[in-house]
Amino acid sequence: MRGQAGLMMGVVLALAGCGKAEAPAAAPEKSVLADGTAADISKVAAADLPPGVRDAVLAKVPGMKIAEAERKERGGKIFYDVEGTRPDGSPVELDLIEEAGQYRVVEMQRDIAWADAPAPVRTVAGAAADAFTPVRVIESTQEDGTVVYELFAPGKADEPATEVNWKDGKAVLRSERNEY
């Protein structure tokens, strides 16, 4: 009897060891993007903006007071960053792209506090293997309704180190930068 019990126990233990092995948990993905292609940037006075840029800006934000602008050229494409204030005094920045002589607003931006970003955006960014606490956060509303949270790392003020898409209640780390 004792021999059978021992044999049964051995079979049970052997079968228990044959269970499906769990794959090791995947390492969190990295969030820091590769540096973007450098742009040729020049300041442009509000009075010197091409009429098409001014028209597109004012169509998007009627009554906007333009404070400053930059013309950027990268990869053979021309972009404008136009900063100013809405009629209520709140700051706003519009990014435009030139396409066949026409200017189109591709995103509307504003700075926000990191604590004001949606919780899922903060969670996704914080779970990355190379996570950091951003020193600046830009909330950038795209043409399709996606909101991109651009996160600037300490000591890197030139371009966002990490970007997170937020649309339809879902936050996703971006793996590539926008061309603008």
Side-chain angles (χ1 to χ4, degrees), residues 29 34 38 40 149 169:
E29 63 183 305
D40 180 25
Y149 289 88

Side-chain angles (χ1 to χ4, degrees), residues 1-91:
M1 217 40 176
R2 229 180 230 206
Q4 283 183 332
L7 181 61
M8 283 298 264
M9 182 62 84
V11 169
V12 169
L13 290 173
L15 289 174
C18 292
K20 195 173 199 177
E22 293 292 321
E29 63 183 305
K30 293 195 174 192
S31 65
V32 175
L33 298 168
D35 289 339
T37 305
D40 180 25
I41 301 172
S42 56
K43 294 279 187 190
V44 179
D48 296 333
L49 282 171
V53 171
R54 181 182 313 287
D55 293 345
V57 164
L58 295 175
K60 188 71 170 180
V61 183
M64 179 176 169
K65 182 177 178 187
I66 299 171
E68 60 185 60
E70 292 180 334
R71 180 186 184 276
K72 297 179 179 182
E73 191 166 344
R74 179 185 304 125
K77 295 187 178 184
I78 297 172
F79 311 91
Y80 280 87
D81 291 350
V82 181
E83 295 183 34
T85 53
R86 294 178 177 96
D88 67 3
S90 62

Side-chain angles (χ1 to χ4, degrees), residues 96-178:
L96 298 91
I97 188 170
E98 186 270 332
E99 298 169 320
Q102 300 294 313
Y103 297 95
R104 177 172 57 93
V105 175
V106 290
E107 60 186 8
M108 186 180 321
Q109 302 178 324
R110 68 183 183 131
D111 280 68
I112 66 166
W114 182 224
D116 293 338
V121 169
R122 295 191 316 266
T123 298
V124 164
D130 53 357
F132 59 90
T133 300
V135 295
R136 180 181 182 203
V137 178
I138 296 175
E139 181 182 72
S140 179
T141 304
Q142 309 295 296
E143 291 177 292
D144 69 355
T146 300
V147 178
V148 178
Y149 289 88
E150 302 175 8
L151 313 179
F152 291 76
K156 296 188 175 193
D158 292 341
E159 64 182 4
T162 298
E163 296 181 354
V164 180
N165 281 0
W166 174 249
K167 187 169 185 180
D168 300 328
K170 294 180 182 150
V172 178
L173 281 174
R174 293 182 63 136
S175 59
E176 294 182 17
R177 298 178 184 281
N178 276 335

